[in-house]
Amino acid sequence: MPTNPSRRLFIISAGSFAGVTGLGLANTMPDMPPGHRTIMMLNAACSDDQNINVFEPPILHVALGDVVTFLPTDAGHNAASRRGMIPEGAEPWNGGVDEELTLEMSVPGIYGYVCTPHYEVGMAGLIVVGNELSNLDAARAVRQRGRARTAFRALFEELEAG
């Protein structure tokens, strides 16, 4: 599905501005209060149209108590926690396709999540709450199917590289 060129230009421009100012892209979204971060659900990465079905950013670090909103920037996506990849005591979630989903991150740790329709083609991401990595081994041990296996492996490597 082709993306909207004006939306893509806005996102790329915002990302360029964010890189110059040292701000994260999620912090450049209009009308977002402090402690509120966003993850876009996209048909293709802003910087690489060949990298399809992605969350941006793919890894998000937030403070305990921050609010995260998944934005259905492109149609056909959702965000759902991956069983075994959220901290003990955290509530799992399963957002509807094409629906905005907002979560308060109230339990520290690593949260693995996917787009349900695009899970097997590798649409996956991580949220790290409070720089807490105590459930890293458990999250890494969850068996993945299809390209999700490769996607999560790359995300964990990027997370550990810091």
Side-chain angles (χ1 to χ4, degrees), residues 48-157:
D48 179 5
D49 283 343
Q50 301 303 309
N51 185 9
I52 61 169
N53 298 317
V54 297
F55 291 103
E56 284 197 11
I59 300 175
L60 180 65
H61 294 266
V62 301
L64 187 62
D66 279 359
V67 173
V68 174
T69 298
F70 290 89
L71 295 176
T73 312
D74 290 331
H77 304 292
N78 81 324
S81 58
R82 184 78 174 99
R83 187 185 326 225
M85 295 185 75
I86 63 173
E88 187 173 325
E91 289 292 320
W93 71 88
N94 187 8
V97 173
D98 297 332
E99 291 183 4
E100 186 173 300
L101 175 67
T102 299
L103 308 167
E104 181 177 344
M105 308 312 290
S106 58
V107 178
I110 296 172
Y111 293 73
Y113 61 90
V114 298
C115 170
T116 307
H118 300 108
Y119 164 70
E120 289 198 30
V121 296
M123 189 168 177
L126 295 174
I127 300 172
V128 180
V129 179
N131 288 325
E132 175 63 44
L133 303 178
S134 60
N135 66 318
L136 175 63
D137 290 338
R140 186 189 297 272
V142 172
R143 295 177 66 103
Q144 309 294 344
R145 293 189 317 261
R147 291 187 188 142
R149 181 180 313 118
T150 305
F152 274 118
R153 185 178 308 130
L155 289 168
F156 286 128
E157 288 173 6

